Amino acid sequence: MTAVEPETAVEITVDGAAVEAHPGEMLIEACERSGTYIPRFCYHSRMSPVGMCRMCLVEVDTGRGFALQPSCMVPVSEGMKVSTESEVTKKAQDGVLEFLLINHPLDCPVCDKGGECPLQDQTMAYGPGETRFVEEKRHFAKPIAISETVYLDRERCILCDRCTRFADEVAGDALIHFMGRGNHTEVNTFPDEPFASYFSGNTVQICPVGALTAAPYRFKARPWDLTETLSTAWVDSLGARVAVQASRNRVLRVLGADADAVNWGWLTDKERFGFEALNSAERLAAPMLRDTADGGVSEWSEAGWGEALDRIAGAVGAAPPERVAVLGGARLNNEAQYMWAKLAKGVIGTDNVDAQLGDGLDPAVVLGLPRATIDDACRSGGTVVLIGPDPKEELGTLYLRLRHAVINDGAKLVEITPVATGLSHLAQHSLRPRPGTTAQLVSALVAAVAGDEFEAGSTGVDRSELEAAAQCLAGADDGVTAVLGRASLAEGAEVVEAAAIELSALPLVRFLPALRRGNVIGALETGLAPELLPGRVRLDGVEDGGPRVEAWPRLPAAAGLDAAGVLRAAARGDIDVLVLVGADPLNDFVDRDLAYRGLRGAGLVVAVDLFMNDSSTLAADIVLPAAGPTECDGTFTNLEGRVSPMSRKVTPPGTARPDWMIAADLAERLEPGSTEGLDSPESIRAELAQVSEVHASLTEEALNASPVEGVLLARPGATGEAGGWRRSGRPTMGRSPVGRTEPATGPAGREDPPEEAPEGAFLLVATRTMYDDGTMLRHCESSRGLAPAASARINPADLDSSGLDEGAAVRVVSDFGHIEATLTADGRVPAGSLRVNWLAPGAPANALIAAGTDVTVVEVEAR
């Protein structure tokens, strides 16, 4: 039993034994903590109790004698007596089950829930054992596909209200409801309104019977055929804890694990069903070499690992270190990231390494500002400032946590985003700065909080709105948590970074990085960024007498290039070897034209990946097959700096290898002995803990002691404690290392954004969506068609003045390129702005953007 503080304890008696409970705690929870399980169907600890199923009826005496009461609806009180084993209780539970089974089909042999069904288990434990009914059971057409991934068998439903409560209370997508009355009550969706929620798979997991099933798992296996391991989701940077289940060396299901500090058991459908890509027949299974045949036509041929690695090592060894670059790595686990950082910086000696591919933030901002946890952002009565992407689209499980905090725990949300988000209807204040003016707006907001004079200027936000938001922040006595990221990839990162620096002037402010790209925090912590070594140590800090990485043969001689600098150098012919580690610059990088020219201009392009993607198909000379996240052991660092295990469950296809092993083999060819003893994830973690003060607490004992919650690394502070970066005092925090002298492709970036778009033009906002045309989703059978079609969204007022009709086929044109889309009126887009999705099928937004520009101006033409 969990200890209860004596001054807050309430003593009750359960089956004759004294039990200490929390005041206000529901009886069903207090009994379970004490070791007494009360059967239930409708009750779920993460949702409000409704007392629908009555399975949890027990006898309760609060001073006026025993009476049957639903334990999920009764709060504990001092002196309460409870009987869960009395004859009256058993008879009530027996009767509830008999009623539930009147119309329930006895199709357990073909039901996906069979073998893990609470109705089965509780019927055996508490039920009558036989039925008195001989009448025909109720029948429905089955199954109904209520979404692309969820099927409904209505005759199995016991009306527990779990799915409808989750959709309404937790996800905020009330798309599944009770319909009908009396004996005709059923769960269903309304016509033309499918259960199109990003979180629909959670209802399948929490359904206590087989009424809701998931298409990717339906009829694939029986529960007793599955083996399970606890792991971490790899889709985004939240690092949700999951249970990976497999049979016959094939992952068949991923379920949410209840980590109190992270995801509460919830997952997005993208996290839940993303494993389908790992089972794709199109996975790379052997090294591939591109050879040019007669006539200049290139052909792919399989090769052995020795031949492929020797060719790469020969090219790298013949090139000066500054002419070698590594892009990507954010999808890898920490151990693989460390090995690639050691290979690039400690063996080759190049600092041209960037895992963020131009769509993140400067490591000085991410690692230098005081870090918040997810619990900090979601604390009761707290204040949250969102300067970043729509959490519902990019960090779905964080969206669920923030939504719960606002609705149930009194948290206050102030939104500073260029367009509305999934949380806008819950925000106390929503400020919509014109693209490129976020820092200017935040500066005025901070001044208003301090009671100083301020000017909203050309931000597009009314002074009264700004003052109201400032009053909200001024009342945050326990500080502010800022969720910080890139709301629009059409404006420069410097805009957000400058806004973060302005906001850091608020007292007690802490920042939660809202970076979408997988294990990106782990990549920065292990050194996969220019000027950065493992443990948040700057390269120039080592040169000035700071701590050295003793386990590395060498260090880069000079600061290197970020992704934009690498691609510019490659386009000029200054990169002899370009390694793409789980990267697709054509679709990932913010400037598609520059990515194309860089890939074509590089000498030798090596791709290490799960699939052939657009970039490797275009330019790769050697492709190495990597193991997927369920095929290798390691750890993952989430956006708050919490490290949790990633566990191998199946073997990779063909001869695919873990990324750390590929890096180690290359390093050994280039510098024999450089990877001595690094033959397992455990040994790599040990060396990482040795060279990085930040990772010193990451021991095997700590990981084993907290397998679900993980290990929270030391958090940086604003002045650089715990190895954090110290501020340079410059507005961009030093984003210009040696060698970055080339201007952006196309027109030069503006120092100041235009106060408004030219007449007839718009300021571009490019936002990510949950589903897009990315490589992994293309290989997910149940999700590949969910990416929304290309649309150009403008304010209805702009639609009236544009002379174009809604639904018209248009061409969106910038100085750098164009895409084709459908014109849509959207009141969530401020006047003067135009919103496009980042990677819509056939219309990638990065075709409109040039790296280095603060804002992008576009026009709309009929086509």
Side-chain angles (χ1 to χ4, degrees):
M1 174 181 173
T2 304
V4 178
E5 293 294 331
E7 62 271 16
T8 62
V10 172
E11 186 172 291
I12 63 176
T13 302
V14 179
D15 296 330
V19 170
E20 289 185 339
H22 301 287
E25 184 178 22
M26 291 302 169
L27 178 57
I28 194 171
E29 284 285 349
C31 289
E32 187 166 3
R33 285 194 305 104
S34 69
T36 300
Y37 179 80
I38 299 176
R40 78 292 298 266
F41 294 116
C42 68
Y43 179 74
H44 191 284
S45 60
R46 297 296 187 186
M47 296 186 289
S48 62
V50 289
M52 292 282 287
C53 69
R54 319 307 276 187
M55 189 64 210
C56 67
L57 286 171
V58 293
E59 282 199 292
V60 180
D61 180 8
T62 57
R64 291 188 286 181
F66 281 98
L68 283 172
Q69 297 191 49
S71 58
C72 71
M73 298 288 289
V74 178
V76 296
S77 60
E78 186 66 37
M80 175 184 286
K81 297 179 181 179
V82 182
S83 176
T84 67
E85 299 289 341
S86 70
E87 288 301 318
V88 174
T89 297
K90 291 180 179 179
K91 181 63 175 176
Q93 294 168 346
D94 182 297
V96 168
L97 284 166
E98 185 175 23
F99 274 116
L100 289 177
L101 293 172
I102 289 174
N103 276 302
H104 194 86
L106 301 181
D107 62 347
C108 302
V110 298
C111 176
D112 269 321
K113 201 72 173 181
E116 58 181 6
C117 176
L119 182 59
Q120 274 185 337
D121 297 339
Q122 293 180 36
T123 297
M124 292 294 293
Y126 306 99
E130 59 183 16
T131 180
R132 293 181 287 172
F133 288 86
V134 296
E135 291 78 12
E136 182 72 10
K137 293 179 181 287
R138 183 172 51 197
H139 299 282
F140 290 102
K142 58 179 294 185
I144 296 174
I146 60 174
S147 77
E148 295 288 337
T149 51
V150 178
Y151 291 166
L152 170 64
D153 291 87
R154 289 171 290 172
E155 71 277 11
R156 295 178 185 160
C157 179
I158 61 172
L159 304 180
C160 70
D161 199 28
R162 278 191 174 190
C163 59
T164 55
R165 268 184 296 153
F166 173 85
D168 183 23
E169 295 179 6
V170 180
D173 299 326
L175 299 170
I176 185 168
H177 315 263
F178 283 133
M179 298 180 178
R181 299 179 66 182
N183 187 47
H184 299 286
T185 304
E186 63 181 67
V187 165
N188 212 328
T189 58
F190 286 115
D192 301 321
E193 289 189 15
F195 192 23
S197 171
Y198 293 157
F199 313 100
S200 63
N202 292 286
T203 63
V204 176
Q205 181 171 338
I206 64 176
C207 179
V209 290
L212 294 172
T213 52
Y217 176 71
R218 190 176 170 90
F219 301 141
K220 294 293 194 305
R222 308 302 300 183
W224 50 83
D225 294 327
L226 300 173
T227 57
E228 177 179 295
T229 186
L230 188 65
S231 191
T232 305
W234 55 89
V235 169
D236 60 36
S237 62
L238 189 92
R241 303 294 284 134
V242 297
V244 179
Q245 298 180 337
S247 178
R248 301 177 296 279
N249 198 42
R250 187 179 178 88
V251 175
L252 296 180
R253 188 164 63 171
V254 172
L255 302 176
D258 197 340
D260 195 62
V262 187
N263 60 309
W264 286 11
W266 309 132
L267 296 176
T268 65
D269 288 357
K270 192 174 179 181
E271 293 169 304
R272 186 178 299 274
F273 303 129
F275 71 87
E276 286 185 295
L278 306 179
N279 295 333
S280 172
E282 297 179 20
R283 282 282 303 276
L284 293 169
M288 305 285 290
L289 305 180
R290 192 198 297 261
D291 298 310
T292 303
D294 294 338
V297 178
S298 61
E299 297 180 351
W300 288 100
S301 61
E302 285 193 12
W305 275 97
E307 179 185 359
L309 292 174
D310 285 343
R311 183 178 296 190
I312 298 169
V316 172
E322 65 273 11
R323 296 180 68 90
V324 178
V326 177
L327 294 181
R331 73 164 178 81
L332 311 183
N333 59 38
N334 293 326
E335 292 73 15
Q337 290 170 343
Y338 174 75
M339 288 304 299
W340 277 101
K342 181 174 183 177
L343 167 64
K345 301 190 178 190
V347 175
I348 299 173
T350 179
D351 194 45
N352 301 328
V353 178
D354 193 354
Q356 296 197 82
L357 292 169
D359 66 358
L361 296 173
D362 194 307
V365 173
V366 178
L367 301 181
L369 294 172
R371 182 83 57 85
T373 65
I374 297 171
D375 283 342
D376 289 337
C378 301
R379 69 181 182 274
S380 179
T383 302
V384 180
V385 177
L386 173 62
I387 306 178
D390 184 350
K392 188 172 185 179
E393 297 288 347
E394 299 203 25
L395 296 163
T397 314
L398 177 61
Y399 161 79
L400 297 183
R401 291 289 310 272
L402 289 171
R403 185 178 186 277
H404 181 276
V406 173
I407 292 177
N408 299 285
D409 297 331
K412 296 179 286 294
L413 174 66
V414 176
E415 197 179 52
I416 305 176
T417 56
V419 294
T421 73
L423 290 169
S424 293
H425 66 291
L426 300 176
Q428 286 208 348
H429 303 282
S430 292
L431 308 181
R432 301 276 177 256
R434 186 173 288 112
T437 66
T438 302
Q440 182 182 348
L441 176 63
V442 172
S443 177
L445 181 63
V446 171
V449 171
D452 299 333
E453 287 296 321
F454 67 91
E455 288 292 336
S458 60
T459 62
V461 177
D462 291 339
R463 185 181 182 91
S464 59
E465 292 180 299
L466 199 149
E467 289 175 339
Q471 289 179 1
C472 178
L473 298 185
D477 297 331
D478 54 352
V480 171
T481 302
V483 179
L484 184 72
R486 299 276 293 276
S488 169
L489 296 176
E491 61 183 9
E494 291 86 352
V495 174
V496 178
E497 292 156 6
I501 297 171
E502 295 288 350
L503 194 64
S504 66
L506 289 178
L508 301 178
V509 65
R510 288 195 168 271
F511 294 83
L512 184 66
L515 304 179
R516 184 196 204 197
R517 193 179 294 282
N519 191 17
V520 63
I521 300 299
L524 299 182
E525 302 275 16
T526 53
L528 284 181
E531 303 182 82
L532 186 62
L533 297 175
R536 309 174 194 149
V537 174
R538 287 185 64 108
L539 181 61
D540 57 7
V542 174
E543 295 170 353
D544 294 338
R548 292 191 58 82
V549 185
E550 299 291 351
W552 291 13
R554 62 182 56 84
L555 290 175
L561 305 172
D562 62 2
V566 165
L567 292 172
R568 290 188 189 111
R572 297 193 305 268
D574 292 340
I575 297 295
D576 293 337
V577 181
L578 175 61
V579 183
L580 306 178
V581 184
D584 182 8
L586 276 179
N587 294 317
D588 292 339
F589 187 64
V590 294
D591 185 336
R592 192 175 183 87
D593 174 68
L594 178 56
Y596 177 87
R597 291 188 290 109
L599 290 169
R600 299 292 291 181
L604 178 75
V605 178
V606 179
V608 184
D609 217 321
L610 308 181
F611 298 96
M612 293 292 291
N613 57 40
D614 291 350
S615 296
S616 54
T617 300
L618 170 72
D621 301 291
I622 303 174
V623 176
L624 303 179
T630 61
E631 299 158 0
C632 53
D633 292 318
T635 55
F636 182 104
T637 305
N638 78 348
L639 48 80
E640 63 182 347
R642 186 178 301 275
V643 179
S644 53
M646 298 185 74
S647 302
R648 172 177 173 169
K649 189 61 202 152
V650 296
T651 57
T655 62
R657 296 182 178 181
D659 292 272
W660 69 263
M661 192 178 294
I662 298 172
D665 284 350
L666 275 173
E668 198 62 28
R669 280 170 165 79
L670 293 167
E671 184 81 28
S674 60
T675 61
E676 184 177 356
L678 300 181
D679 55 2
S680 68
E682 293 79 10
S683 61
I684 297 172
R685 278 198 297 275
E687 181 171 299
L688 176 59
Q690 174 190 344
V691 302
S692 166
E693 182 181 333
V694 170
H695 295 86
S697 62
L698 191 62
T699 63
E700 300 305 309
E701 293 77 12
L703 284 172
N704 293 333
S706 185
V708 177
E709 300 297 330
V711 178
L712 188 62
L713 298 179
R715 292 187 280 168
T719 57
E721 57 264 29
W725 286 26
R726 296 184 181 276
R727 300 183 191 175
S728 66
R730 288 176 285 171
T732 59
M733 299 185 75
R735 283 186 58 84
S736 300
V738 174
R740 267 187 260 185
T741 58
E742 262 50 51
T745 56
R750 303 177 178 87
E751 291 185 3
D752 297 306
E755 292 195 2
E756 58 184 30
E759 185 175 354
F762 300 90
L763 298 179
L764 182 67
V765 177
T767 58
R768 291 192 183 275
T769 52
M770 178 71 72
Y771 297 108
D772 56 25
D773 195 33
T775 300
M776 295 296 284
L777 279 170
R778 292 178 192 174
H779 294 89
C780 287
E781 184 177 349
S782 63
S783 306
R784 63 169 62 124
L786 298 182
S791 62
R793 297 181 175 273
I794 61 176
N795 190 275
D798 291 328
L799 182 67
D800 294 339
S801 62
S802 68
L804 297 172
D805 297 326
E806 184 173 12
V810 298
R811 180 177 289 107
V812 182
V813 183
S814 75
D815 290 339
F816 320 114
H818 72 273
I819 62 171
E820 296 181 348
T822 301
L823 190 64
T824 304
D826 188 345
R828 302 182 304 166
V829 179
S833 295
L834 182 144
R835 175 181 182 176
V836 296
N837 294 337
W838 174 250
L839 195 56
N846 61 352
L848 301 170
I849 305 167
T853 55
D854 287 340
V855 294
T856 302
V857 179
V858 296
E859 295 180 346
V860 179
E861 304 171 351
R863 62 178 174 89

